[in-house]
Amino acid sequence: MTSVLRTRAGARIRPVHLLIVVLAGLLVAVAAALIMRSVLQPRRTTPVYDPPVLAGQQLWGACAGGFYARLGQTIVLTSTGHCTTEGTVAYDADGTTVRGVFGPPARDATCPHAGHTCASSDINYLVVAEDRIPWGHLNVVDLGTAGYRIIPPGTKPLACADIAIGDLVEIDGRNTYRSGKVAEKGEYLHSKDGAYFPCMIGARISVGVGDSGGAVLVRGIPAGVSSRSFSGRLGFTPLAEGLAQLGLDLCTEPDCGLEPPG
């Protein structure tokens, strides 16, 4: 009788014991996966300046920052014309510190496509608040885990004609570094958004909400403005034409040729 009771008791205990072992194994596996992910995930190795460099980083809402430039004696940061409207105030993450005020988007005086707006590039700019200008770093693009990229003195931004199929492209919108190759070039005319751009470049880089306006480097050179998603892939418009239309000069020196305030 005692032997039977032990057998029955054992029959009840063994499944419970097995379940505990399985659960423990699963926990170990999950912990190992998390550790591996933490180890393998790219990490930032460069310092964040104060005020921070926002070229290449998240700027405001669904807008990303492009490149620092000069509008006369004023420091601005490029972004995209479709992301927000002129006069919009951008704030730091604290919701109170003002980063600056958005200026107008690039626009052609006339447009041959009825019902559309025409522009050389999908670009606008943020007039950076004086206390948020990263003096000494205005020729820098922050690519996050890929590090800072310094724009050498005298660098000319690329135009549409300077960009070729197969060129290496880099972006860091949404604080996520990505790279890929130029896949196609052509005009952009779309009835849905009513925009026309004479040059749109497509690249094999995944994009999402928050990438708009971000800096695009081609062959390591300032080249474009993140503009559209084509089935989840990057479409960008050329930088040189956009800067010219807005009367901007790309910053290629630490203080962009200006004297920082004392």
Side-chain angles (χ1 to χ4, degrees):
M1 189 72 177
T2 302
S3 176
V4 172
L5 286 173
R6 284 177 181 169
T7 301
R8 289 176 179 172
R12 294 191 185 99
I13 290 170
R14 287 192 188 99
V16 173
H17 177 71
L18 181 60
L19 179 61
I20 292 172
V21 171
V22 171
L23 288 174
L26 287 173
L27 289 173
V28 170
V30 170
L34 290 174
I35 291 171
M36 286 297 294
R37 180 180 177 184
S38 177
V39 170
L40 296 175
Q41 186 172 2
R43 293 178 179 275
R44 186 186 186 96
T45 59
T46 51
V48 176
Y49 301 116
D50 184 20
V53 170
L54 293 177
Q57 293 292 293
Q58 211 59 33
L59 180 57
W60 167 246
C63 306
F67 301 93
Y68 287 104
R70 276 177 58 178
L71 178 62
Q73 300 297 300
T74 301
I75 296 297
V76 302
L77 178 62
T78 65
S79 191
T80 177
H82 77 258
C83 195
T84 188
T85 58
E86 183 178 0
T88 298
V89 178
Y91 294 91
D92 274 351
D94 61 13
T96 57
T97 304
V98 174
R99 285 181 168 172
V101 180
F102 282 98
R107 286 288 184 272
D108 292 348
T110 61
C111 185
H113 303 284
H116 289 70
T117 57
C118 293
S120 61
S121 185
D122 188 14
I123 188 173
N124 71 351
Y125 59 81
L126 180 81
V127 178
V128 184
E130 291 187 3
D131 61 346
R132 307 311 291 165
I133 298 174
W135 294 107
H137 309 292
L138 293 175
N139 62 335
V140 172
V141 179
D142 187 353
L143 292 186
T145 58
Y148 287 118
R149 302 297 173 85
I150 309 299
I151 303 172
T155 297
K156 301 296 183 184
L158 297 186
C160 182
D162 301 319
I163 300 168
I165 304 299
D167 279 348
L168 177 66
V169 180
E170 297 173 280
I171 64 172
D172 191 61
R174 294 182 288 130
N175 303 325
T176 303
Y177 173 77
R178 284 147 289 162
S179 64
K181 298 290 185 68
V182 172
E184 57 186 330
K185 292 171 60 177
E187 295 183 326
Y188 178 87
L189 179 65
H190 203 295
S191 59
K192 185 176 181 180
D193 62 17
Y196 170 76
F197 303 109
C199 180
M200 179 72 72
I201 303 107
R204 295 188 180 95
I205 298 177
S206 62
V207 291
V209 176
D211 283 320
S212 293
V216 179
L217 297 177
V218 173
R219 307 192 307 274
I221 304 169
V225 181
S226 296
S227 175
R228 294 294 190 275
S229 171
F230 299 111
S231 299
R233 299 292 185 177
L234 171 67
F236 67 94
T237 54
L239 182 62
E241 291 90 333
L243 293 177
Q245 188 163 34
L246 290 173
L248 305 179
D249 295 308
L250 179 69
C251 289
T252 62
E253 297 178 0
D255 294 318
C256 209
L258 299 176
E259 188 70 28

